[in-house]
Amino acid sequence: MDFESAEQLSLQHSKPAGLLLQYGTAGFRTKAEYLDHVMYRMGLLAVLRSKQQKSTIGVMVTASHNPEEDNGVKLVDPMGEMLAPAWEEYATCLANAEENEMSSVLADIVKKESVDVNQNAFVAIGRDTRQSSEKLAHAVADGVTALGSQYQDYGLVTTPQLHYIIRCRNTEEQYGIATVEGYYKKLSKAFSDLIKQSSLQNASSGDSHRSVQVDGANGIGAVKLKEMERYLQTGLFIHIVNDGTYGKLNHLCGADYVKVQQKPPHGLEMKPMESCCSFDGDADRIVYFYNDSAGHFHLLDGDKIATLISTFLKELLLKVDLNLKMAVVQTAYANGSSTRYLEETMEVPVFCTKTGVKHLHHKAQEFDIGVYFEANGHGTVLFSKSAEETIRQLAKHETDAEKREAAKMFENVINLINQTVGDAISDMLIIEAILLLKNLTVQQWDAMYTDLPNRQLKVKVSDRRVIETTDAERRAVTPPGLQEKIDDIVKEYKLSRAFVRPSGTEDVVRVYAEADTQENADALAHAVSLGVYHLAGGVGEQSKPL
């Protein structure tokens, strides 16, 4: 491979002096004007990964829920999963290399990963609606062609759609047809078939339709949901606001805004008891919300979504009488009430991982059915190959009519869920189908359990690395005495817990606390933050009571 030539071409995509970037769970993200060289180099890296894996690799140009002036890039591995950790390190090294170091960095990756340079490579490129995305996608394509390889530019797609396309291409379309239309058709048929089953179940109530207001965050999710509407011919009335016709991407809207601000997005007029949801900028997160009859805002985040879906799947498992191992995977940020409800009421095992969706996805792969959601609304359901085959066989050959009908429902659920990554459109459709099948309103769903009041704070420190954690980030190992201090404070409050963890990007320590009342959660969070300040090198003013 001609790395010297690729190095020369990189001069057309020069690296800003002194810029250092880190590839994390979200890939690279920063101001769009600093990313041209990164995109070119990720095109190069995608070619090497494609040759090594002998598979199509995806490159998605997006900054998700970040402001419109930002942009970013994520690489997608063969089964639609996130890039392998070792290759995240190569991405960081390649992005930060000086122009005259690129050949040696590329050669080093080839050597370490035993890449067959004569193997053909193919890269699929997608992008979101940011003004900068088209130009940056061209830079990715330049990187691919610089190494003599081929690509297909899929243009405007949601992040989950590109993940879907990658998996379809690499399974010879066993997972689905490798186009956006193939995605629409697969999900729409599964949703339509579930709605038909709902109509039969709820014939007596006469209610086989639902309506939902969707905040599209002025992003790609709104564009693609509009395209998909003509495929969704039954059962669901969708009204899209913040659809990109006016208003800035993610500005005062979107899943992250609604989750953090605990209030509805601008541009959405809510009627009492009306079901509403928000996507994020690249449509891989979703949260639900509504106003009650007194005008109070209620948020149904990733914990509520995981509980609804896993409860439904547990009921289906009982109906089909299959002994499959099912679990829910959460992070330390999951509300304690959701964990208790799942374990004690639904008798579904719950496991906790470090923050970051790649950790949840990896853990969920250990089960026949693994449901995972971060509280921010990013999540999906994974089915093992054997579980999927067993369910599909039951749907075809089961002689007991009731079991066969439940197995068909299960099969439609599998087809409706995007198992590659969290997908706002897919998740919305499965939620709406479950609510129809169970004849539930959004308020009844919300009432399954009541969230414990909680509070999150940040403490500025001189060096966040002083904090080390264990037990899925729920306990601090260093500095000495901090965890003991937290344990002592927690004992003073009912139904309480608290943990601290270092930020991945800035010198702050994040504090999470929950307790029986909001007043106690606030007091607990404040007391813990003071402990962090004094024991972990706090800087600036101490936090004041909330």
Side-chain angles (χ1 to χ4, degrees):
M1 290 179 82
D2 191 356
F3 292 153
E4 297 291 334
S5 173
E7 191 175 279
Q8 283 299 310
L9 285 168
S10 78
L11 296 173
Q12 297 171 26
H13 302 277
S14 58
K15 175 180 174 288
L19 180 68
L20 292 174
L21 296 169
Q22 176 79 33
Y23 192 105
T25 298
F28 291 111
R29 279 191 205 169
T30 188
K31 299 291 181 211
E33 61 262 34
Y34 301 140
L35 282 168
D36 187 64
H37 75 290
V38 172
M39 298 296 174
Y40 174 77
R41 295 170 187 207
M42 290 309 99
L44 303 175
L45 189 69
V47 168
L48 298 189
R49 182 65 170 160
S50 177
K51 287 176 181 288
Q52 189 232 24
Q53 291 288 301
K54 301 183 175 138
S55 302
T56 299
I57 295 297
V59 181
M60 182 69 196
V61 179
T62 182
S64 187
H65 58 276
N66 279 38
E68 193 168 348
E69 57 270 21
D70 290 356
N71 218 318
V73 60
K74 310 175 192 179
L75 270 67
V76 184
D77 257 358
M79 286 298 101
E81 70 273 52
M82 280 176 271
L83 187 63
W87 284 75
E88 289 183 4
E89 292 179 28
Y90 299 145
T92 298
C93 188
L94 186 57
N96 293 327
E98 298 305 324
E99 257 86 9
N100 61 1
E101 299 172 334
M102 282 182 54
S103 290
S104 61
V105 170
L106 291 167
D108 188 49
I109 296 168
V110 166
K111 184 180 177 184
K112 283 180 178 173
E113 294 293 333
S114 304
V115 177
D116 178 0
V117 294
N118 297 313
Q119 172 70 35
N120 288 333
F122 196 89
V123 177
I125 303 170
R127 58 184 163 88
D128 71 11
T129 55
R130 294 163 204 269
Q131 283 192 335
S132 58
S133 290
E134 187 170 9
K135 181 174 179 289
L136 292 174
H138 287 318
V140 175
D142 286 351
V144 176
T145 54
L147 290 180
S149 295
Q150 293 184 308
Y151 70 90
Q152 182 168 341
D153 186 349
Y154 283 88
L156 291 168
V157 289
T158 68
T159 294
Q161 285 174 340
L162 186 69
H163 282 251
Y164 163 89
I165 285 166
I166 297 302
R167 185 156 177 167
C168 291
R169 291 187 66 105
N170 291 320
T171 57
E172 298 179 337
E173 298 198 327
Q174 288 177 28
Y175 188 67
I177 306 301
T179 61
V180 173
E181 186 180 37
Y183 168 95
Y184 293 150
K185 286 183 173 177
K186 179 183 177 183
L187 269 63
S188 297
K189 183 180 187 308
F191 181 75
S192 175
D193 288 348
L194 274 172
I195 294 305
K196 285 173 189 168
Q197 289 180 293
S198 165
S199 299
L200 291 171
Q201 279 197 186
N202 298 327
S204 57
S205 71
D207 179 19
S208 60
H209 290 85
R210 283 187 54 82
S211 64
V212 61
Q213 283 215 73
V214 181
D215 160 31
N218 290 316
I220 186 63
V223 176
K224 293 299 167 181
L225 185 57
K226 271 186 179 177
E227 286 180 8
M228 190 173 184
E229 274 191 283
R230 67 187 180 91
Y231 295 89
L232 292 167
Q233 296 175 349
T234 180
L236 185 63
F237 299 112
I238 300 170
H239 177 59
I240 306 171
V241 298
N242 298 321
D243 63 357
T245 51
Y246 60 89
K248 284 177 68 176
L249 175 69
N250 294 324
H251 181 60
L252 303 176
C253 61
D256 195 58
Y257 174 85
V258 173
K259 168 71 176 163
V260 172
Q261 299 297 325
Q262 298 278 311
K263 61 183 181 183
H266 286 223
L268 190 151
E269 296 295 324
M270 296 171 68
K271 296 172 188 168
M273 306 299 191
E274 185 174 34
S275 184
C276 307
C277 65
S278 279
F279 295 178
D280 70 334
D282 65 338
D284 65 1
R285 290 188 193 180
I286 184 171
V287 295
Y288 267 72
F289 53 94
Y290 70 97
N291 272 346
D292 63 26
S293 53
H296 296 136
F297 177 81
H298 294 255
L299 176 72
L300 294 89
D301 62 8
D303 297 340
K304 291 276 186 181
I305 294 169
T307 303
L308 178 74
I309 293 174
S310 55
T311 299
F312 179 70
L313 293 176
K314 175 75 183 288
E315 290 168 356
L316 277 183
L317 271 179
L318 292 172
K319 285 180 182 175
V320 294
D321 194 24
L322 283 177
N323 187 25
L324 297 177
K325 192 175 180 185
M326 176 179 155
V328 174
V329 185
Q330 298 181 325
T331 71
Y333 287 106
N335 195 278
S337 286
S338 71
T339 310
R340 270 192 288 276
Y341 178 82
L342 286 164
E343 288 182 332
E344 295 171 13
T345 305
M346 291 311 302
E347 297 182 344
V348 174
V350 178
F351 294 84
C352 188
T353 72
K354 289 167 65 176
T355 304
V357 73
K358 64 185 175 188
H359 301 299
L360 289 100
H361 191 95
H362 182 70
K363 185 67 180 177
Q365 289 175 319
E366 296 178 11
F367 308 101
D368 293 315
I369 303 171
V371 181
Y372 75 83
F373 273 84
E374 289 192 295
N376 63 25
H378 190 296
T380 189
V381 185
L382 306 183
F383 297 89
S384 70
K385 192 173 181 183
S386 62
E388 199 170 313
E389 285 174 357
T390 301
I391 290 162
R392 293 193 190 281
Q393 285 300 312
L394 269 183
K396 274 184 187 174
H397 304 299
E398 175 58 52
T399 53
D400 181 283
E402 200 171 320
K403 278 189 187 176
R404 187 173 64 252
E405 190 65 16
K408 282 181 182 176
M409 197 174 282
F410 226 138
E411 185 176 36
N412 287 326
V413 169
I414 292 170
N415 291 337
L416 183 52
I417 287 169
N418 186 346
Q419 295 185 56
T420 64
V421 73
D423 182 342
I425 293 175
S426 165
D427 289 341
M428 181 192 78
L429 293 175
I430 190 64
I431 288 164
E432 293 299 328
I434 291 170
L435 293 176
L436 261 170
L437 283 158
K438 292 175 69 67
N439 203 17
L440 289 175
T441 63
V442 69
Q443 303 91 301
Q444 288 169 323
W445 165 25
D446 191 25
M448 288 170 77
Y449 67 86
T450 303
D451 278 331
L452 281 169
N454 57 85
R455 177 66 64 191
Q456 293 186 46
L457 297 175
K458 291 193 289 189
V459 183
K460 287 186 179 180
V461 292
S462 56
D463 182 1
R464 68 183 184 273
R465 290 172 297 182
V466 73
I467 301 268
E468 291 181 15
T469 63
T470 188
D471 188 22
E473 301 177 310
R474 289 178 291 190
R475 296 189 67 78
V477 178
T478 61
L482 178 58
Q483 187 58 53
E484 289 79 6
K485 178 74 172 172
I486 295 169
D487 290 342
D488 288 342
I489 297 168
V490 165
K491 287 174 188 172
E492 298 174 21
Y493 300 91
K494 292 180 181 176
L495 297 175
S496 62
R497 69 184 181 99
F499 67 89
V500 300
R501 56 181 289 271
S503 165
T505 54
E506 53 185 327
D507 279 322
V508 300
V509 176
R510 303 189 185 280
V511 174
Y512 178 90
E514 61 184 37
D516 59 335
T517 67
Q518 190 63 57
E519 185 181 11
N520 284 343
D522 291 348
L524 174 57
H526 177 250
V528 171
S529 73
L530 290 179
V532 171
Y533 185 91
H534 292 300
L535 293 169
V539 296
E541 284 188 37
Q542 292 185 38
S543 66
K544 293 181 173 59
L546 296 163

